[in-house]
Amino acid sequence: MGRSSPSTNKDLLQIYATYGLDQWQTLVFLLLHAIFFSLLSLLFLLYFHPICSSLSLLPSSLPRYAAGFAGSVTAISALCLFCAAGNMFYSGLALHHQMAQRMVNAVWDWSSVKNALDLGCGRGILLNTVAMQLKKSGSSGRVVGLAHCKQTAMSALRTAKIEGVQEYVTCREGDVRSLPFPDNYFDVVTSAVFVHTVGKAYGHRTVEAAAERMRVVGELVRVLKPGGIGIVWDLLHAQEYARKLQELRVEDVRVSEGVTAFMVSSHIVSFTKPVQPPAHGAASGGQEVRLDWRS
């Protein structure tokens, strides 16, 4: 199913210049708090003795322990926040681009792909990576980016133009829980760090949110052609998707080893839609879910 071809190396600044950063507010929040705790820990270090003196009402040794403990906690908090900010920045740009390359390498022959779909295309990192594969393979195919709003769709089209693949890309608004496409239409369906956001209004770990995500997985399988390939990189819920795919009796379900993204575990789930539908009454729980994609 996969192939080992060298991924396209792009400079981090080039990726940032093209796509920007979707979750920059979170990054700024983390950095501001990291700086605040860094300054606070520095104050504890520089003014350790005055701080201890101000706590003189406490038992003799307690002020030093209290000030030392508070200073250590603020320093560790600052370090953790800087690490979290770094992971957010890396995940949103470099890692996203790397994972997009790994996902497209799961398809053996892009020249035979006529229609591809990217669910939750965002600003287009994965969308444009698919388009580049179509262009390099000489395919006459197209990839559709499905966005939740017109502004996001327009943003994806702008980045496709910058990447020089605009003729391979179309974007439209749509509800991923009820895809506006006929059955058995796409050769490849992809999605990157999106499906876990569906149903978030109910809370990520509620039954209602899980049901919404399962609707998306079902729709993804519905619009795939027999023999088509689905590839989903997402946070937290990979095993949940794999179980649903087993229930839908698709083939070759694979779950990658975990990669830390956006401070949580992420996995790639891939599968193939059967060319022949399973026999009526066939058991749906006997498929093996295999781990692959080792770096």
Side-chain angles (χ1 to χ4, degrees):
M1 167 144 174
R3 62 177 180 176
S4 58
S5 62
S7 61
T8 303
N9 294 318
K10 297 186 72 173
D11 183 79
L12 183 61
L13 291 177
Q14 184 183 352
I15 299 172
Y16 179 75
T18 303
Y19 297 100
L21 195 65
D22 282 329
Q23 299 188 7
W24 63 268
Q25 299 96 331
T26 303
L27 182 62
V28 170
F29 174 86
L30 291 170
L31 286 173
L32 288 176
H33 281 75
I35 293 169
F36 170 76
F37 280 106
S38 297
L39 294 174
L40 199 58
S41 65
L42 188 61
L43 287 176
F44 273 104
L45 178 64
L46 295 175
Y47 297 97
F48 180 76
H49 292 294
I51 291 171
C52 290
S53 299
S54 68
L55 300 174
S56 58
L57 295 178
L58 297 174
S60 58
S61 61
L62 196 56
R64 294 179 63 85
Y65 285 121
F69 177 77
S72 299
V73 169
T74 54
I76 292 171
S77 298
L79 179 62
C80 291
L81 287 165
F82 275 122
C83 289
N87 183 257
M88 290 290 293
F89 182 76
Y90 170 72
S91 299
L93 293 173
L95 181 62
H96 198 149
H97 183 261
Q98 292 167 15
M99 296 300 277
Q101 292 292 333
R102 290 176 66 181
M103 292 170 74
V104 299
N105 286 341
V107 179
W108 282 103
D109 183 14
W110 281 98
S111 64
S112 63
V113 173
K114 300 303 180 187
N115 294 295
L117 172 66
D118 183 31
L119 294 181
C121 62
R123 299 188 186 186
I125 292 181
L126 177 56
L127 177 75
N128 293 333
T129 304
V130 171
M132 289 175 194
Q133 289 297 117
L134 293 171
K135 184 176 182 179
K136 286 193 295 184
S137 68
S139 171
S140 60
R142 298 291 183 272
V143 57
V144 180
L146 193 71
H148 69 280
C149 67
K150 184 176 180 180
Q151 182 179 0
T152 302
M154 294 302 295
S155 177
L157 288 174
R158 282 194 296 271
T159 61
K161 185 175 181 179
I162 293 171
E163 295 282 17
V165 292
Q166 65 270 28
E167 68 271 24
Y168 293 89
V169 172
T170 60
C171 290
R172 61 175 296 177
E173 297 175 73
D175 185 353
V176 293
R177 297 165 299 180
S178 180
L179 293 175
F181 306 107
D183 296 355
N184 307 319
Y185 186 73
F186 292 101
D187 301 289
V188 176
V189 177
T190 63
S191 182
V193 287
F194 171 75
V195 178
H196 73 280
T197 66
V198 178
K200 65 182 179 181
Y202 298 106
H204 283 296
R205 300 198 178 275
T206 63
V207 174
E208 293 84 358
E212 294 288 275
R213 292 191 295 270
M214 294 308 97
R215 284 181 62 187
V216 177
V217 175
E219 282 292 281
L220 192 154
V221 174
R222 178 184 68 80
V223 299
L224 264 180
K225 291 179 181 178
I229 297 173
I231 315 159
V232 177
W233 172 43
D234 209 21
L235 313 179
L236 300 173
H237 305 293
Q239 296 301 329
E240 180 182 283
Y241 305 154
R243 287 193 295 270
K244 178 63 175 179
L245 290 167
Q246 283 184 297
E247 292 174 10
L248 296 171
R249 290 178 282 187
V250 300
E251 298 174 343
D252 202 22
V253 179
R254 297 172 182 258
V255 181
S256 74
E257 292 186 339
V259 175
T260 300
F262 301 101
M263 299 180 289
V264 298
S265 179
S266 73
H267 300 264
I268 294 173
V269 181
S270 63
F271 65 93
T272 303
K273 187 171 181 177
V275 176
Q276 295 294 334
H280 180 69
S284 60
Q287 285 182 295
E288 177 187 10
V289 178
R290 289 177 285 175
L291 287 171
D292 67 344
W293 305 81
R294 289 180 176 84
S295 300

